[in-house]
Every structure is written in structure tokens, then in C-alpha cells.
Amino acid sequence: ARRMNYIFDDSAHKDLPLSPGRRCEDGTCCDACSRNIFPTFLLENESNMQTFPELASFTFNELQTCSSATILQFTRMVERVRRTMAHEYGLDLSTILPLQAYSRKYVAGTTQQGGGGGEGDFVTLHTDEATHSGYHYSCVIYLSTQGEDFEGEDFVFNDPKDDDDEESDETNENELPILSLEDEIRRTGRKLTPFHPTRGAAVIFSSGWENMHEVEKITSGVRYAVPCFFTTCPVPEAAYDQMVVGKPKSDEDIADDWLHLLLAHRQETPQEAVGRVKELLMKWHYMCAPLSQH
């Protein structure tokens, strides 16, 4: 099935069906597609793992023992991405919401098991919209620097070659390294555009076929990153009606939502945590924008 659970292994990406074109199923995406690299999306102090050590394994589902400073910093990061996407793609800010965001640890010599937050040493070629039909815009924020914290593991966009690329390849054929059969198959007819991760950088792109990508294998060290995915699918009004407290109507309501959904530090069952995070993501715009923009 094209729609998949959040919990699946990296190796499952290869089984996802891919179809050309931008689907934006049930959403309100703009016509534009792009990819953007921001070398200094976060300031030095914002991505400091000593200041915010819990960024190494952050998830909205487990906040009981997480410091308020880290929760607020992670929320600020996701909101900055959301506002950057709204600006880049000309979207009304209220129409774009986070659907998934978490910290991810990549460790040399490991294989991911059991979901997006698990350790692994690579991510196979895929498109995010094929992973989940609600993923319309994607981002990866980097908390580690290649060459200092780890080796290998470029983030690579994988595109069809055009005629100019083919001519360039013929000219440089004698300079190419000897490749394995697997790499030859991967590269044939394709143009690979690598990005070398540095701490505080971010890659933001539209999530469809136009931005097929992969993460090459990490060869040593540990890399931390924050993948986040956004949707333009509107939240049904009935979903707010089913909440104990629906849309906030005052600044006091917004403050209550921040306390209840992010900063309560209470013990929860997994089911309670899932319900809280679902409500958080649906209310995200109302919590992060002034009443005048609701």
C-alpha cells in the first residue's frame, strides 16, 4: 500500500511504489517544487548538544523527563521550518502543519529496526510522499558535522541525467573511480547531488517524485539529525469538536494548551501520549500564531 505506518524499517523504502508527478493528496500545495539548502539555519547555541543534550533522542511522545528548555527549543526549530516553508512556497501559514518530527541517531555498523527514531547507518533511495501520502514538504536539520563527528553519510538527491550531464560524464570517464556493480546500477542514467552535513544546516524540499533522495552509509562516528515532515491536508472541524478543549479562543486558552500538550511533564501510557501528540499537531498553528492569525 502506498500509505504506510510511521513504524517501518529503512529497508522497507525499496518496496514502496513510486509514480511520477506531485500528488499532494487531499492537500493544498502550491504548484512550485524546489529544494533549498540553508548552511546556517540554526545558530551555534541553538544546535549545541551540550546545552540541549536531550535533542539527541527527542520525540514529542516522551516528554515526562525532558527539560522544558529542550522542549521549547525543539518546538522553536519545527516552527521555524514551518514558517520558512510557508514563505518559500507562498502558502498561507495556517494551511501547513507538522505531521511528524523527531531526532534521529545514525551509527556506523547498525541497522535500523522499528521506526523512524531507531538507529541505522543509511537510508535507501525513496521519496517522502511515497512513504506517507500526507507528507507534502520535508526538512532535515543537522546536529552534527561531517568530518568532525562522523565520516561518510552524504545526503544525496537522485535525479535523471539530462543531455549535458551525459556529455560531461563521457569527458570525465577516465577520472571516475572503479564502482561496485550495485553502485553502477544506482548511478546509471542518474545525476547524484550530494550535500555534506554540518551542524546547524538544514535541507528543505517538496516531498514528491521531484526530490528522490537517500542517505549514504556512515562509515565511522555518530550523526544526529532532525527529520520533520509537513502536510497541507486540512484538519476536519469535527476533529476539534471531539477534543475535550477545542480551538483556543483566548491567550489563556493558548497558554493552557502549551502546558497540557507540551510542558506538563506527566506520566502517560503510550496510548495517552499518541492522543496528546495528535492533538498537539492539529492545534500547532493555533498554539504558535497570535489570535489575529487564527
Side-chain angles (χ1 to χ4, degrees):
R2 185 167 40 79
R3 185 187 295 271
M4 294 187 67
N5 291 325
Y6 288 128
I7 307 302
F8 65 99
D9 299 331
D10 280 340
S11 59
H13 279 111
K14 69 179 184 304
D15 300 321
L16 292 171
L18 298 177
S19 55
R22 187 89 167 90
R23 292 186 61 87
C24 193
E25 186 171 312
D26 299 325
T28 56
C29 305
C30 68
D31 293 334
C33 300
S34 73
R35 59 185 65 154
N36 303 273
I37 294 173
F38 298 86
T40 53
F41 192 77
L42 298 180
L43 299 176
E44 178 77 18
N45 62 329
E46 293 177 311
S47 58
N48 191 315
M49 299 283 280
Q50 294 182 331
T51 305
F52 305 106
E54 294 138 320
L55 286 180
S57 58
F58 187 92
T59 168
F60 283 122
N61 291 71
E62 299 175 5
L63 299 181
Q64 182 184 355
T65 60
C66 189
S67 69
S68 295
T70 299
I71 295 171
L72 292 172
Q73 175 58 15
F74 192 91
T75 303
R76 184 184 296 117
M77 288 162 49
V78 175
E79 177 63 6
R80 185 178 300 172
V81 173
R82 188 175 78 103
R83 290 173 179 265
T84 302
M85 288 175 171
H87 175 78
E88 167 67 17
Y89 296 105
L91 301 170
D92 187 295
L93 186 61
S94 65
T95 65
I96 183 167
L97 295 172
L99 195 59
Q100 180 84 313
Y102 54 89
S103 295
R104 172 117 192 236
K105 180 181 181 181
Y106 297 81
V107 183
T110 61
T111 301
Q112 185 206 26
Q113 299 289 335
E119 295 181 4
D121 61 3
F122 77 102
V123 179
T124 196
L125 182 64
H126 68 286
T127 67
D128 293 332
E129 198 175 46
T131 301
H132 190 295
S133 61
Y135 290 172
H136 299 155
Y137 298 98
S138 305
C139 174
V140 182
I141 302 172
Y142 295 97
L143 303 178
S144 306
T145 297
Q146 188 183 62
E148 295 179 10
D149 305 305
F150 65 93
E151 298 293 341
E153 204 169 57
D154 284 337
F155 180 99
V156 182
F157 287 109
N158 188 310
D159 302 300
K161 284 183 178 176
D162 56 31
D163 293 339
D164 292 338
D165 294 322
E166 296 285 358
E167 291 176 6
S168 175
D169 279 355
E170 290 175 8
T171 302
N172 299 320
E173 187 172 355
N174 294 329
E175 301 174 14
L176 291 175
I178 298 174
L179 301 175
S180 67
L181 177 60
E182 181 182 359
D183 272 343
E184 286 221 22
I185 293 172
R186 171 172 164 256
R187 293 169 179 263
T188 299
R190 310 298 298 178
K191 177 182 179 181
L192 305 186
T193 306
F195 170 68
H196 309 299
T198 56
R199 183 158 65 90
V203 180
I204 294 177
F205 52 96
S206 48
S207 303
W209 173 272
E210 71 282 358
N211 279 317
M212 291 179 64
H213 59 281
E214 60 194 313
V215 179
E216 294 181 336
K217 183 170 288 192
I218 185 171
T219 56
S220 66
V222 177
R223 178 168 81 87
Y224 295 97
V226 177
C228 34
F229 308 94
F230 294 75
T231 188
T232 60
C233 293
V235 177
E237 287 298 319
Y240 296 112
D241 296 337
Q242 293 170 3
M243 298 176 185
V244 176
V245 179
K247 296 178 184 178
K249 297 181 174 59
S250 66
D251 290 334
E252 290 74 16
D253 291 342
I254 295 174
D256 285 344
D257 277 336
W258 273 87
L259 178 60
H260 172 68
L261 299 176
L262 277 173
L263 300 172
H265 294 100
R266 63 181 179 276
Q267 188 171 358
E268 298 174 302
T269 66
Q271 186 176 2
E272 289 171 335
V274 168
R276 175 182 54 77
V277 174
K278 186 175 181 180
E279 183 174 343
L280 165 67
L281 299 180
M282 288 193 289
K283 283 186 170 181
W284 188 279
H285 176 74
Y286 298 106
M287 293 172 60
C288 294
L291 287 170
S292 61
Q293 296 180 18
H294 286 192

